[in-house]
Amino acid sequence: MRTTGVTLDHAAALYDWLAPLMTLGLESRLHRHVVDRLNLDRPMAVLDVGCGTGSLTRLIADRMPPGKGRTLGIDAAEKMIEVARRKAGSRRVTFEAALAEELPCASGSFDRVVSTFFFHHLDENLKKRAVDEIHRVLRPGGRAVILDVDVPYNLFGSLCAHAGYVLFRQPEIMENIQGKLRSVFAASRFAGRWSLVSRHSGYITLFELVRDSQETKSGDIA
Ligand SMILES: C[S@@+](CC[C@H](N)C(=O)[O-])C[C@H]1O[C@@H](n2cnc3c(N)ncnc32)[C@H](O)[C@@H]1O
């Protein structure tokens, strides 16, 4: 698919081996933490943006009350989506090749949106467009939970984040290190409704963003 985001078709076959290494073994724990924050206490519609091979998406589907709710994972890399579909088994989960900046979803159609280790694959302009889209597809009062590389808060975190930047030569990672993801949230329609929930490994932050419950689905104030 055509996007200026850093897509991972070339890494699809190896991604599930590499991801735990790149997160220093924390990947599954962080994914479980994200799912806990979703409060899936009733059937919900949940969208996973930049889902990769779908490990988090499957975890969400497994936490949904049996036979109820809706879980969709999207990724711009078609090969990632192929792996995600293969691994889904008989779960009630759908995977689609799609762009975060042009989500193929109706406005206000999701109770929750998640994304993990995705925003450091987008430049600032694309970060803005993806955040706008997440806002649009959330229902009024709906919540997004976003985990990503962020401003390091200790030496260890700073070393890890900068090592990632040097290793992958991704300017988008440096933007996150410099706090650009936060500025994008602050300038978006989530302004005043986003917060840092928890911080991990010195450079990873879990953010929560809530869509104003007074808005209508199309974004007007009710
Ligand atoms: C590091 S992976 C994260 C995968 C998964 N969320 C996880 O936690 O393991 C980032 C993903 O973002 C996808 N991506 C990059 N640009 C995108 C875009 N514009 N729209 C949707 N997905 C995109 C890549 O193909 C890749 O699979």
Side-chain angles (χ1 to χ4, degrees), residues 29-46:
R29 225 166 74 196
L30 290 172
H31 278 175
R32 283 198 302 275
H33 183 47
V34 167
V35 180
D36 288 344
R37 288 302 301 186
L38 294 175
N39 298 117
L40 298 173
D41 50 356
R42 58 182 172 80
M44 288 189 192
V46 184

Side-chain angles (χ1 to χ4, degrees), residues 3 6-8 15 31 50-51 75-77 80 100-101 116-118 121:
T3 175
V6 179
T7 55
L8 292 184
Y15 186 79
H31 278 175
C51 64
D75 198 286
M80 285 290 207
E101 60 270 32
T116 55
F117 299 114
F118 161 66
H121 283 242

Side-chain angles (χ1 to χ4, degrees), residues 136-188:
R136 180 183 69 76
V137 303
L138 270 177
R139 66 162 168 77
R143 182 155 33 105
V145 175
I146 294 176
L147 179 91
D148 223 304
V149 175
D150 186 35
V151 183
Y153 58 91
N154 62 27
L155 182 60
F156 176 73
S158 183
L159 287 173
C160 291
H162 284 88
Y165 166 63
V166 172
L167 191 65
F168 298 110
R169 297 200 189 92
Q170 242 171 265
E172 296 86 352
I173 295 180
M174 184 52 82
E175 287 184 1
N176 282 38
I177 293 173
Q178 293 170 339
K180 288 265 166 68
L181 186 54
R182 297 175 181 205
S183 350
V184 167
F185 294 156
S188 75

Side-chain angles (χ1 to χ4, degrees), residues 3-9 15 19 22 27 31 48-56 74-77 80 98-101 115-118 120-122 126:
T3 175
T4 52
V6 179
T7 55
L8 292 184
D9 273 303
Y15 186 79
M22 289 180 315
E27 192 209 19
H31 278 175
D48 182 3
V49 179
C51 64
T53 56
S55 349
L56 173 69
I74 69 102
D75 198 286
M80 285 290 207
L99 300 178
E101 60 270 32
S115 114
T116 55
F117 299 114
F118 161 66
H120 69 272
H121 283 242
L122 309 185
L126 219 51

Side-chain angles (χ1 to χ4, degrees), residues 28 33 68 70 73-74 86 110-111 142-143 153 164 173 212:
S28 336
H33 183 47
K68 296 191 175 141
R70 178 162 78 98
I74 69 102
R86 214 168 43 235
F110 287 94
D111 302 289
R143 182 155 33 105
Y153 58 91
I173 295 180
D212 188 349

Side-chain angles (χ1 to χ4, degrees), residues 1 72-79 81 85 95-99 104:
M1 308 201 80
L72 169 66
I74 69 102
D75 198 286
E78 292 177 20
K79 291 211 162 62
I81 292 297
R85 283 185 181 141
F95 290 101
E96 266 183 54
L99 300 178

